[in-house]
Amino acid sequence: EIVGAQPWPGQRNLNMESIYEYGSRAGFWRLWRLLTSRKIDVTVYGVTLAMARNPDAVAAMQEAGWEIATHGLKWIDYRDVPAEKERADILEAIAIQREITGERPLGFYQGRSSERTTPLMMDEGGFLYTADSYADELPYWLSGPKGPQLAVPYTLDANDMRFAGTGLNTGEQFYSYLKDAFDVLYAEGDEAPKMLSIGLHCRLVGRPARIAALERLCDHIQSHERVWITRRIDIARHWQQQHPATTPAGAPAA
C-alpha cells in the first residue's frame, strides 16, 4: 500500500489522523524516488477514494509502470457489513479506479475483509488474482463459481506494519528480519523457485530512519543473480501460464 488510506473508524484525534497525511505528503515521494531510481517494479494497493484525492501520486505511479491493485473503496472493516453493501463498494471501487487510471484493477486486496469478501470478488469475475490470503508462500488456485481463481498470497510478517505496533523498533531490526527471509528463500531456491512478499506503507517505511534500512535491503537483494523483483500481476500471469489450474484428473480446469 503506497497511497495513504482512510483513518481507522472511530479515530478522532486529528494529530493521529495526520500520520496518514504524512504518507501522501512525504513518505510516498521518498518511496517513489527510491524505487524508481533502482528501476524496481511494485504493486500498489490503492484505496480508491484516497487515489481520487491524490492525482499527482497516481500519475507518478502510472509513469513508473507500477501495478495499482484495488485496496477497496475505503479503508473500513467489512466483518459486519452486509453482503450487498460490500458488493456495491467493490463495484464502485472498480468504476472509480477505471475513471481515474483508464483501466480497471486486475489485482484485489480488501485487507480488512469479511467471510463474504472472497466469494464476492470471485463473483465479480474480472480479477486475475486475489491477495486476501496469508496461507502460503507461493500462488495457488481457489475453486470459484466462475471457474478457478488465482490467489497470490500477501504477508503480515515481512511487513512494515510491525512498526505500528509491537515487533519492530529500529530500521536495523527491519533490515535484519527481511534479509534473513530473503536469504533463506534464496537458498531454498536451489530446489524450487520461491516468492517473498514485502509489505510497505508510505506513512511507515517512508520515514527517514526506516527508508535507510529499505535502501540497504535493496542493495542486498539486487546484489544477487536470478532474482525477479516484479509486480504481483506479473507473478499472477507467470503462474497462470506455467501452473494452470487443473481438475483432480490433471486436465486443465474449465
Side-chain angles (χ1 to χ4, degrees):
E1 174 219 350
I2 301 295
V3 174
Q6 295 289 319
W8 290 83
Q11 193 175 25
R12 293 292 182 265
N13 187 309
L14 292 181
N15 286 342
M16 292 304 296
E17 290 184 8
S18 68
I19 291 174
Y20 290 83
E21 186 177 1
Y22 175 90
S24 59
R25 292 171 63 92
F28 170 81
W29 299 105
R30 186 169 283 125
L31 267 175
W32 186 87
R33 290 191 297 270
L34 168 62
L35 297 170
T36 56
S37 69
R38 292 170 176 267
K39 296 181 171 56
I40 293 176
D41 293 325
V42 300
T43 288
V44 176
Y45 295 145
V47 176
T48 312
L49 293 184
M51 290 168 57
R53 295 170 184 172
N54 199 341
D56 289 344
V58 174
M61 290 186 284
Q62 291 187 290
E63 177 188 336
W66 295 353
E67 177 198 5
I68 307 177
T70 186
H71 202 15
L73 181 66
K74 301 178 181 179
W75 183 233
I76 63 175
D77 192 333
Y78 280 94
R79 283 179 298 179
D80 300 318
V81 173
E84 288 311 308
K85 169 60 176 170
E86 185 172 6
R87 184 194 306 274
D89 283 0
I90 290 171
L91 295 177
E92 186 176 359
I94 294 170
I96 293 174
Q97 182 163 330
R98 190 193 300 273
E99 181 178 348
I100 294 170
T101 67
E103 56 188 6
R104 64 154 294 152
L106 297 177
F108 182 93
Y109 179 59
Q110 193 85 293
R112 305 176 72 197
S113 57
S114 74
E115 62 184 13
R116 298 167 294 280
T117 299
T118 297
L120 289 171
M121 176 275 305
M122 291 193 290
D123 187 62
E124 192 276 330
F127 288 102
L128 182 59
Y129 73 89
T130 176
D132 268 321
S133 171
Y134 313 109
D136 207 322
E137 294 173 347
L138 289 173
Y140 63 95
W141 291 97
L142 301 169
S143 297
K146 298 183 178 180
Q149 174 68 58
L150 185 62
V152 182
Y154 189 41
T155 180
L156 293 180
D157 77 302
N159 195 311
D160 66 1
M161 275 300 295
R162 297 174 65 208
F163 279 118
T166 57
L168 294 175
N169 296 306
T170 68
E172 185 58 36
Q173 290 174 336
F174 184 57
Y175 168 74
S176 179
Y177 190 90
L178 294 178
K179 177 181 178 297
D180 285 349
F182 172 82
D183 288 347
V184 168
L185 292 174
Y186 189 83
E188 291 180 355
D190 287 340
E191 302 296 329
K194 300 292 180 177
M195 182 181 78
L196 173 63
S197 291
I198 299 175
L200 304 173
H201 299 74
C202 50
R203 69 186 186 277
L204 297 173
V205 78
R207 299 282 177 174
R210 297 166 182 168
I211 203 78
L214 183 61
E215 290 175 351
R216 293 198 299 276
L217 180 69
C218 291
D219 287 341
H220 180 69
I221 292 173
Q222 292 185 306
S223 70
H224 290 70
E225 297 180 347
R226 299 180 299 136
V227 175
W228 186 29
I229 307 176
T230 193
R231 308 173 304 172
R232 300 179 83 80
I233 189 68
D234 299 319
I235 295 172
R237 287 170 175 154
H238 171 82
W239 198 266
Q240 191 176 51
Q241 293 170 2
Q242 299 298 320
H243 307 282
T246 57
T247 65

